[in-house]
Amino acid sequence: MKTFLHISSLTLLATISVLAGCSKKSDGPGSTGKKAKVTITLSNTFSKAEGDYFNATVTASASNGTTIDWTVNGTRKTGTAITVGTDDFNGGKTIILESSSEFYTGVVKIGGFEMGATPYSVSYKVEVNGSVKDQGNETIVKNQDPIFTKDIQL
């Protein structure tokens, strides 16, 4: 439970820091133009019933401070930050998060841990304007220290 609270509070801090850093000025030259696509795949050994946990949060804003919408596997979602988690990934799935409009700044936060005996793997790819910003693969095992977390500035 302590680990879950740690990941949740890190997600909240990342969201607040992105939003607090946004200017309230009108859009100026070079202040917009970014689009992002985040692809996350968890292996089929990921099991909520076994106590596995995984969370991904994205948030981005225009230079005037308004947050942008995202699509999650093609479905538009609104809110300050968009989160997909354990229930969405249960059984191993691929989720694609895409910015619905151009933005100035943003962040992706992913992380998870394993409570059962069966490790699971995660692969992620973050693209900004069609170029790979970050990508990787990680195997998540029980009692991993430190737990897997990754922050990627957009």
Side-chain angles (χ1 to χ4, degrees):
M1 183 62 153
K2 185 176 183 179
T3 303
F4 172 74
L5 292 174
H6 179 68
I7 289 174
S8 295
S9 58
L10 287 175
T11 300
L12 179 61
L13 287 173
T15 302
I16 290 170
S17 67
V18 167
L19 295 176
C22 294
S23 169
K24 297 295 179 187
K25 298 177 185 175
S26 63
D27 289 345
S31 64
T32 61
K34 291 195 256 183
K35 297 270 294 198
K37 178 179 179 183
V38 180
T39 306
I40 303 166
T41 302
L42 269 60
S43 65
N44 62 2
T45 56
F46 181 81
S47 172
K48 179 181 176 181
E50 195 176 82
D52 298 347
Y53 174 85
F54 194 84
N55 187 23
T57 301
V58 293
T59 188
S61 60
S63 62
N64 66 3
T66 59
T67 56
I68 64 154
D69 295 343
W70 291 81
T71 60
V72 179
N73 287 344
T75 302
R76 191 178 187 106
K77 304 287 183 181
T78 60
T80 304
I82 305 302
T83 301
V84 291
T86 299
D87 289 334
D88 303 299
F89 289 104
N90 194 32
K93 293 185 177 66
T94 296
I95 294 181
I96 299 172
L97 304 137
E98 293 184 87
S99 56
S100 294
S101 59
E102 295 180 343
F103 60 90
Y104 174 66
T105 187
V107 67
V108 177
K109 168 93 177 141
I110 60 175
F113 55 86
E114 166 69 49
M115 296 299 288
T118 310
Y120 67 91
S121 62
V122 58
S123 64
Y124 61 92
K125 182 177 178 182
V126 177
E127 300 169 85
V128 176
N129 290 339
S131 297
V132 176
K133 175 95 175 171
D134 198 347
Q135 66 181 354
N137 297 295
E138 183 81 19
T139 299
I140 313 298
V141 297
K142 187 174 183 176
N143 298 324
Q144 185 170 333
D145 188 20
I147 62 170
F148 171 68
T149 61
K150 183 84 174 167
D151 295 330
I152 303 141
Q153 291 289 87
L154 299 174

